[in-house]
Amino acid sequence: MRLGVLDIGSNTVHLLVVDAHRGAQPLPAYSHKAEMRLAEHLHDGDTLSTQGERELRRFIEESLRIAEDKGVEDIMAFATSAVREASNGEDVLGRLRDATGVDLQVLSGQDEARLTFLAVRRWFGWSSGRLLVVDIGGGSLEIASGVEEAPDVAVSLPLGAGRMTRRWFTGDPPPAVEVRDLRRQVRAQIGRVVGDVVKYGRADHAVATSKTFKQLARIAGAAPSAEGPYVRRTLSHKNLSNWTERLTSMTNAQRAGLPGVSSGRAPQLLAGAIVADATMDLFELGELEICPWALREGVILRRLDGMPGT
């Protein structure tokens, strides 16, 4: 069947159309997305602004028209940290549901971690043993570990690249004191959960997902996306640490000139690198392998698992 997945993230809003059948690999058929940066529309006590709600409604309505044109039979719609943390999120979701008919499901941080873990497990298979999966989004960092399709432990921390950039950096590039303060805060928060994760056992295979990790791997020498999803891509902690240091003195325009980095994502790259570097260091990870599947694929797979067998 042809499914539509409407993903309302903190940075990007995305409609992915896939041909999916139970027991088969979901095949992307069409993609429509925009860098709405919804989290930047949170004002006055984390209230989603009228403009943010208006832009979100416009995107949903446009996505519904596209989905109809592409022959989509069913749409799954979900939202992550930006809507989850909006003080008026429920009211906004109710108005959007009344206006568009789309029932956006808000995922918890742990839901995000579990569904992303499922996607990674299906991609790499059982031979990977114990997986450790890390994902840096716009609003949060997800960490999950386990030997089954459901992780033993799933953690979500408010350490997303966009959130950290907005809350800690004032300059372009940011002053050294702000970089140090962010580094200290990030490491303190991650350090609190390391024991909760590793007590289940050390990972046989450490994996990263998300746009942030893909961009960091690309600037560190990984193959470009044009070479396809089956090319093995990795990010070493040594290379990441070197690039994190280099990024601290680069302007947003200079970061946007790096391979694989868009102008919209460039301002968040340094904060994302600081979070990634801290994660690899505190979990003692020498290398991460980049997985092309993440949360959206996890949502699709869970939907297919619930379908009657054929």
Side-chain angles (χ1 to χ4, degrees):
M1 65 184 303
R2 178 157 284 197
L3 298 174
V5 184
L6 191 57
D7 175 358
I8 308 302
S10 298
N11 284 318
T12 304
V13 287
H14 191 175
L15 170 69
L16 179 65
V17 177
V18 296
D19 292 319
H21 305 277
R22 188 175 181 183
Q25 177 181 338
L27 297 175
Y30 187 80
S31 177
H32 170 60
K33 60 184 175 180
E35 285 191 358
M36 189 175 293
R37 292 191 282 276
L38 199 60
E40 296 181 9
H41 290 283
L42 295 178
H43 305 298
D44 302 325
D46 289 334
T47 299
L48 185 63
S49 69
T50 301
Q51 180 184 353
E53 180 179 344
R54 187 185 307 117
E55 290 184 13
L56 182 53
R57 175 176 171 175
R58 185 182 304 119
F59 182 84
I60 291 173
E61 291 173 340
E62 183 180 21
S63 295
L64 289 175
R65 290 192 293 270
I66 292 172
E68 180 179 338
D69 289 344
K70 298 299 179 183
V72 167
E73 301 174 54
D74 189 21
I75 288 183
M76 300 170 290
F78 66 90
T80 56
S81 63
V83 176
R84 181 169 69 233
E85 296 171 10
S87 59
N88 61 338
E90 288 296 325
D91 293 335
V92 170
L93 292 176
R95 288 191 292 270
L96 291 172
R97 183 169 53 249
D98 292 341
T100 67
V102 172
D103 186 14
L104 273 171
Q105 300 298 308
V106 179
L107 300 179
S108 70
Q110 287 189 327
D111 288 338
E112 290 187 53
R114 292 188 184 104
L115 288 166
T116 301
F117 185 90
L118 171 63
V120 174
R121 171 61 75 191
R122 294 280 178 91
W123 182 268
F124 287 111
W126 297 111
S127 63
S128 293
R130 174 169 291 278
L131 282 172
L132 175 67
V133 178
V134 293
D135 183 316
I136 301 173
S140 58
L141 162 69
E142 273 71 51
I143 305 168
S145 175
V147 295
E148 307 289 351
E149 289 200 333
D152 297 320
V153 57
V155 177
S156 180
L157 299 172
L159 298 176
R163 182 198 300 268
M164 295 296 95
T165 301
R166 291 189 302 274
R167 292 192 175 182
W168 291 88
F169 293 162
T170 61
D172 178 22
V177 64
E178 293 179 354
V179 174
R180 287 195 302 272
D181 288 345
L182 173 58
R183 184 179 185 276
R184 187 180 305 113
Q185 175 68 18
V186 165
R187 286 174 176 261
Q189 290 201 46
I190 295 174
R192 295 187 194 118
V193 303
V194 171
D196 296 332
V197 177
V198 301
K199 70 180 181 182
Y200 291 95
R202 291 287 176 179
D204 299 306
H205 193 183
V207 178
T209 70
S210 76
K211 189 68 171 179
T212 295
F213 272 114
K214 289 177 181 177
Q215 288 182 332
L216 292 170
R218 178 71 185 98
I219 66 174
S225 58
E227 293 190 16
Y230 301 114
V231 175
R232 187 173 187 268
R233 297 173 174 87
T234 61
L235 174 64
S236 74
H237 185 217
K238 180 179 179 180
N239 283 341
L240 173 60
S241 294
N242 290 338
W243 268 105
T244 302
E245 181 64 28
R246 292 175 65 180
L247 290 169
T248 60
S249 60
M250 297 177 71
T251 64
N252 293 337
Q254 289 171 326
R255 294 179 204 142
L258 295 172
V261 180
S262 67
S263 58
R265 294 272 185 167
Q268 303 181 14
L269 190 61
L270 173 56
I274 290 171
V275 174
D277 181 52
T279 303
M280 294 191 75
D281 188 16
L282 291 170
F283 280 94
E284 300 179 0
L285 305 174
E287 182 179 84
L288 287 166
E289 184 165 2
I290 309 300
C291 181
W293 279 7
L295 178 58
R296 276 186 297 274
E297 288 75 17
V299 170
I300 295 167
L301 292 167
R302 179 61 71 225
R303 169 74 170 81
L304 294 176
D305 287 349
M307 293 174 61
T310 55

